[in-house]
Amino acid sequence: MELPGLRRAVTLQTEPTPRLIDGVSGEVLAISPTEARLIQRWDGVAGATPLSARVFMDGLDVDPWQVEQFFARLDRMQLLGKSPPVVPDFVAPRPGLEKASDRVPALRPDLVIAKLVPSGEVLEVFDPKRGRGFSLLDFEISLARLLDGKRTAAEVLERAGALGIPVSLQTLRAFLQQLIAYQFIDHRVKEGTTTWPKRTTWAPEVRELYQRALQAFRAGNPHEARVELDALKRLDPGNLEAGALRLRLETRTIKVDHDALHAPAMPTAVIRTGEIAALTPSDERAAPLRIDPFASFGFEGELPTASGLPPIPETLTSAARKRNWRKVLIGLSGLLVLAFLLRPVPMVRSVPCELELEKLAVPRATLSGLVTPAGVKPGTAVTRGTVLARIEPVDGEAALEKQLISLNRQLQALAPDKNAARIAKARAALKADEAAIATLEKQKKKATQKTLPALGKKLAARVKAREASKAALEALTHELARAPLAAELTRLKEQKASGEFENAKVELTAPVDGVFVIVGSLPVKVFETDGYGQIVAPRFKVVTKQKLETTADEVVFRYEGGEAPVKLEAGVPQLEVSQALVGLKGSLEFSQGRKPWLLSF
């Protein structure tokens, strides 16, 4: 839905979960139910105090300062079309970090923190005492994890830099100011008390790979992050945080860094009588300026009197009129000819180039036979494990035996935890959560209008706890991951027992993430370990014989029979991989501005 306070291209969706969607870029920002209610109730005009009163009448207790802080975040993300609501004449308390040696405070230990779907980069921090929650981005949560009441500000800045979060003492102070406004900070928390669950100890090499992947992700290098995560998965296949980071690589979320989100507020320009405030022309929130309508004519605020104007000349004679008209026509003709000769025309430059593939891996046949397509078209982006093709083996019985060995190895890698007591404890926790949810559902049916909101909050918190229990149980048992492998193993054993080997086909999967391309065509006969295609990076490497220097907005790769649009990122041409463009040569064509037609020869 479109709302008066949001930017024109931004809409709010409340189903299935609250989120803001940028209609131009397609980016999504997940928000909490509390924040969605605030956006719905704001008319784009009201201040923070009236808006706080409105939602309080709806049963939502949010302080005016919290309203101001939340909308200030949206404003820094450039999602608002109006000036954000503020609390007039309000002086916020200082966060207490005056120098780098000061000790940082700690978060309240009773806060409930959970991810907001569909995004993996936004988390909700829910206050169970007051029944409200606000969203924080993943790097803010990582920074908040460092607030333990023991570290100094300098130590927090050093650890944040190691995690790929560029933060200064000034922006750290602004971030603490926001946490204090949300009432997430408790200066009375004792050392050692924390809202974070205890982590299992990681091996040094696993921790180093995860940190490198996280730094690459936050630096905007998804390919490098995927490489580090692939290496981490080989060392620790069941690492849940690595799996969550890979999911976040595929999510299109509104991007904003820490410094932009927590930069100190600048004083607002004021329009006074006889002055013009410094407002940008593209600002939708700019107030109409009072500009003298006669300034361009040399007047100062009002029309001059008739006596102040020069006298009107006497009536021209007929001959003088003819001579003047002839001069006017000759002058106009000359101006038209000059305008034609000097009209600006685009100057197009052409640079020869070749398209090279950045090879990531070569999918190979696991046995000799005939490779046939499996529904994945060449030029399609695939993830590791995607079925690329199928091979009809020469020796069906040997192929079936290899599949059985492979499946057994995969099941062994996903063996359940040997500690039966730990698994039993995880099952009991999940069973307790499900029983509590069933009880709350029954109570909700009989609840009154007065008790229904509190029951709803309890139910939502319990559902989040159940999801966490499910994830913990899966990490110990791998039941969901083992189920399809076990079913396939049973099917193959039955096939082996029946003796049907002639038409047994083996699936060939992608070894890494990337784009699947082929040089020839399928089907094709191969021997064992022969390659039948390539997994390449999603973009061609455009190689030019001469240095490409241009700031043109539009660049085109032109080849015999067609053309394809090219994007420039930091002056480097970027072209999406397509099977139709593999192995082609051509040229890059772009505009070098405009020149008068007379000077273009």
Side-chain angles (χ1 to χ4, degrees):
M1 66 181 72
E2 294 184 357
L3 296 173
L6 299 178
R7 192 159 48 85
R8 293 174 185 169
V10 179
T11 57
L12 170 67
Q13 286 189 4
T14 57
E15 296 293 337
T17 56
R19 71 196 76 180
L20 293 174
I21 300 178
D22 190 333
V24 176
S25 65
E27 295 175 334
V28 178
L29 178 70
I31 59 176
S32 70
T34 298
E35 295 167 335
R37 184 82 64 84
L38 289 173
I39 294 174
Q40 288 175 316
R41 295 291 286 160
W42 187 45
D43 58 3
V45 178
T49 303
L51 181 55
S52 174
R54 289 179 188 174
V55 297
F56 182 79
M57 297 300 294
D58 295 341
L60 183 61
D61 184 13
V62 181
D63 297 336
W65 188 25
Q66 295 171 342
V67 173
E68 176 180 322
Q69 288 289 320
F70 166 62
F71 279 94
R73 286 172 63 87
L74 297 184
D75 189 42
R76 290 189 176 101
M77 293 180 182
Q78 299 180 358
L79 297 173
L80 298 183
K82 303 291 181 65
S83 297
V86 298
V87 183
D89 303 324
F90 176 74
V91 179
R94 302 180 68 85
L97 287 183
E98 300 300 329
K99 51 186 180 298
S101 59
D102 289 346
R103 195 177 302 276
V104 297
L107 259 68
R108 286 171 42 195
D110 60 334
L111 300 174
V112 179
I113 300 174
K115 292 181 180 179
L116 291 172
V117 294
S119 173
E121 299 184 30
V122 186
L123 297 92
E124 181 189 18
V125 183
F126 185 79
D127 186 345
K129 290 184 178 179
R130 299 170 177 84
R132 63 194 178 206
F134 293 92
S135 61
L136 294 179
L137 297 174
D138 68 321
F139 61 80
E140 294 176 298
I141 293 294
S142 298
L143 189 60
R145 189 185 288 274
L146 302 175
L147 305 179
D148 58 355
K150 296 183 289 185
R151 294 186 176 96
T152 63
E155 292 172 336
V156 170
L157 297 179
E158 181 181 358
R159 293 290 297 275
L163 295 175
I165 308 174
V167 58
S168 62
L169 181 62
Q170 188 178 28
T171 54
L172 176 61
R173 190 182 296 123
F175 178 53
L176 282 177
Q177 190 94 326
Q178 186 173 68
L179 295 181
I180 293 172
Y182 285 169
Q183 298 181 2
F184 291 164
I185 295 293
D186 189 352
H187 296 279
R188 299 170 299 176
V189 172
K190 297 179 181 180
E191 295 182 4
T193 304
T194 175
T195 187
W196 312 105
K198 291 185 178 180
R199 284 180 165 179
T200 57
T201 303
W202 287 358
E205 58 271 18
V206 172
R207 180 175 297 279
E208 182 180 357
L209 286 171
Y210 182 82
Q211 287 184 352
R212 289 208 300 261
L214 188 61
Q215 290 172 356
F217 167 71
R218 287 174 173 158
N221 299 321
H223 174 64
E224 182 180 344
R226 289 189 182 96
V227 172
E228 300 292 348
L229 288 174
D230 288 340
L232 191 154
K233 188 174 182 180
R234 288 191 290 271
L235 290 176
D236 188 2
N239 193 300
L240 296 179
E241 293 193 31
L245 181 56
R246 178 174 289 280
L247 179 62
R248 284 157 53 191
L249 286 172
E250 312 303 331
T251 306
R252 295 190 69 191
T253 305
I254 294 177
K255 305 296 181 185
V256 59
D257 58 31
H258 185 276
D259 286 348
L261 195 57
H262 296 289
M266 300 297 292
T268 306
V270 180
I271 301 177
R272 300 182 178 87
T273 306
E275 296 180 353
I276 297 178
L279 297 176
T280 59
S282 60
D283 193 351
E284 296 180 20
R285 299 167 301 184
L289 305 181
R290 296 190 58 188
I291 301 175
D292 190 346
F294 303 112
S296 60
F297 296 97
F299 304 140
E300 295 276 335
E302 62 180 359
L303 289 171
T305 60
S307 59
L309 295 174
I312 300 176
E314 296 181 359
T315 304
L316 299 175
T317 62
S318 176
R321 288 179 179 177
K322 290 181 180 180
R323 286 195 299 270
N324 287 341
W325 274 113
R326 190 179 296 112
K327 292 179 181 179
V328 169
L329 290 175
I330 293 173
L332 289 176
S333 301
L335 289 175
L336 289 175
V337 173
L338 184 62
F340 177 80
L341 295 176
L342 298 180
R343 77 185 191 280
V345 294
M347 303 298 295
V348 178
R349 183 185 174 190
S350 180
V351 177
C353 69
E354 296 180 6
L355 301 182
E356 292 185 358
L357 293 170
E358 183 182 349
K359 185 171 63 176
L360 303 179
V362 176
R364 300 184 182 277
T366 56
L367 44 89
S368 300
L370 181 66
V371 178
T372 58
V376 176
K377 295 182 179 180
T380 303
V382 297
T383 57
R384 182 180 180 182
T386 301
V387 177
L388 302 178
R390 294 182 177 87
I391 183 170
E392 186 174 340
V394 176
D395 187 350
E397 185 175 4
L400 187 60
E401 193 63 37
K402 285 188 177 182
Q403 285 184 279
L404 290 171
I405 294 173
S406 176
L407 286 172
N408 279 315
R409 287 177 179 173
Q410 294 180 55
L411 287 171
Q412 289 174 3
L414 294 174
D417 195 300
K418 295 181 180 180
N419 192 329
R422 190 181 301 167
I423 295 177
K425 185 178 179 180
R427 291 189 189 279
L430 177 59
K431 187 175 180 180
D433 289 336
E434 291 176 343
I437 290 173
T439 302
L440 290 172
E441 289 286 358
K442 292 180 181 179
Q443 294 177 359
K444 188 176 179 181
K445 294 179 180 179
K446 300 178 181 180
T448 62
Q449 187 174 3
K450 183 177 180 180
T451 60
L452 186 60
L455 281 175
K457 293 171 185 176
K458 289 182 180 179
L459 182 60
R462 204 65 183 191
V463 169
K464 291 179 181 179
R466 181 181 63 182
E467 296 304 317
S469 298
K470 285 182 178 180
L473 181 60
E474 175 64 15
L476 293 172
T477 63
H478 305 291
E479 291 176 344
L480 297 179
R482 288 174 59 87
L485 296 176
E488 180 65 11
L489 182 63
T490 302
R491 187 186 70 81
L492 292 179
K493 286 182 177 180
E494 292 175 353
Q495 185 177 351
K496 180 179 179 181
S498 66
E500 297 178 358
F501 306 120
E502 294 183 0
N503 297 323
K505 290 187 177 181
V506 179
E507 293 180 342
L508 303 176
T509 59
V512 296
D513 296 350
V515 178
F516 174 55
V517 297
I518 59 176
V519 178
S521 61
L522 297 179
V524 61
K525 290 183 179 180
V526 295
F527 293 100
E528 186 175 354
T529 72
D530 281 354
Y532 58 90
Q534 292 183 356
I535 303 296
V536 299
R539 294 178 179 176
F540 283 109
K541 182 180 180 182
V542 183
V543 181
T544 57
K545 296 182 179 179
Q546 51 186 295
K547 189 175 181 180
L548 180 65
E549 295 181 356
T550 178
T551 57
D553 294 332
E554 294 185 3
V555 180
V556 174
F557 170 67
R558 197 174 301 280
Y559 57 95
E560 184 178 357
E563 61 181 37
V566 177
K567 293 182 180 179
L568 288 180
E569 295 185 5
V572 179
Q574 304 287 344
L575 182 59
E576 300 293 332
V577 167
S578 169
Q579 180 66 38
L581 300 179
V582 173
L584 290 183
K585 296 181 180 180
S587 61
L588 294 178
E589 292 188 358
F590 52 90
S591 173
Q592 285 193 311
R594 293 175 173 268
K595 287 186 178 180
W597 179 80
L598 188 62
L599 303 178
S600 62
F601 295 97

